[in-house]
């Protein structure tokens, strides 16, 4: 949902007290406030934008950044999710996912940051965006002490039981009078393999690294 031109009146204790903006001006001021470190001002402008449009993804993105710097991580994460939810275009979703990843990284949540960057990658439309997400993902992965890898494969096989192709028993190259049972012979079918590995970095420096690992 998008609304037409709306004027916002800002009532704060900062130099913008009593100022009135249209939507475009309010967005510009909110962006400038974030860059200047005026996070409370940015938060108030974003709240005003949401009064005009409760589904404004830009306003939620501003709230996510502001709350993250105002030490309210729960609200920051909620705002980041809503920014992505209400984004319409692929470009908006790309930006919203990167904002959410940035908020997670600032809160020392590298696994969550990686998840959002994977989502951002699905909305990348240009090689430049692909490279940008790849760089950010590499930084998040390097900062993450936890690594989880899953591999799964399924394929037909003519020997699912690692059986023999011989009918007669052969010992040292000499056939005997014995016969292999049916269950000992090669059986055809389908082989599925699931491999999960978990690694947690306990400590590391330039000379060494200690990991705890598990595999299933």
């Amino acid at each position: 949902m998008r609304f037409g031109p709306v004027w916002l009146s800002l009532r704060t204790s900062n130099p913008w007290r009593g100022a009135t903006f249209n939507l475009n001006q309010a967005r510009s001021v909110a962006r400038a406030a974030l860059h200047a470190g005026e996070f409370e001002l940015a938060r108030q402008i974003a709240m005003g934008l949401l009064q005009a449009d409760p589904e404004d993804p830009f306003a939620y993105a501003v709230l996510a950044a502001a709350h993250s710097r105002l030490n309210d991580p729960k609200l920051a994460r909620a705002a980041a999710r809503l920014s992505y939810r209400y984004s319409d275009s692929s470009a908006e979703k790309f930006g919203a996912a990167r904002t959410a990843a940035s908020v997670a990284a600032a809160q020392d949540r590298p696994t969550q940051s990686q998840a959002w960057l994977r989502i951002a990658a699905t909305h990348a439309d240009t090689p430049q965006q692909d490279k940008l997400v790849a760089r950010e993902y590499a930084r998040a992965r390097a900062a993450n002490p936890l690594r989880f890898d899953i591999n799964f494969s399924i394929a037909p096989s003519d020997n699912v039981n690692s059986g023999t192709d011989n009918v007669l028993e052969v010992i040292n190259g000499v056939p005997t009078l014995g016969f292999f049972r049916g269950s000992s012979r090669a059986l055809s079918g389908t082989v599925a393999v699931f491999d999960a590995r978990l690694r947690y970095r306990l400590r590391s420096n330039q000379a060494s690294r200690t990991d705890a690992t598990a595999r299933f």
Side-chain angles (χ1 to χ4, degrees), residues 62-78:
V62 172
L63 278 181
H67 281 303
S68 180
R69 299 304 294 270
L70 291 171
N71 297 320
D72 199 335
K74 185 175 181 179
L75 288 178
R77 292 193 297 271

Side-chain angles (χ1 to χ4, degrees), residues 30 83 103 110 151 173 195 211-212:
S83 178
V103 168
N151 293 303
D195 186 12
D211 295 337

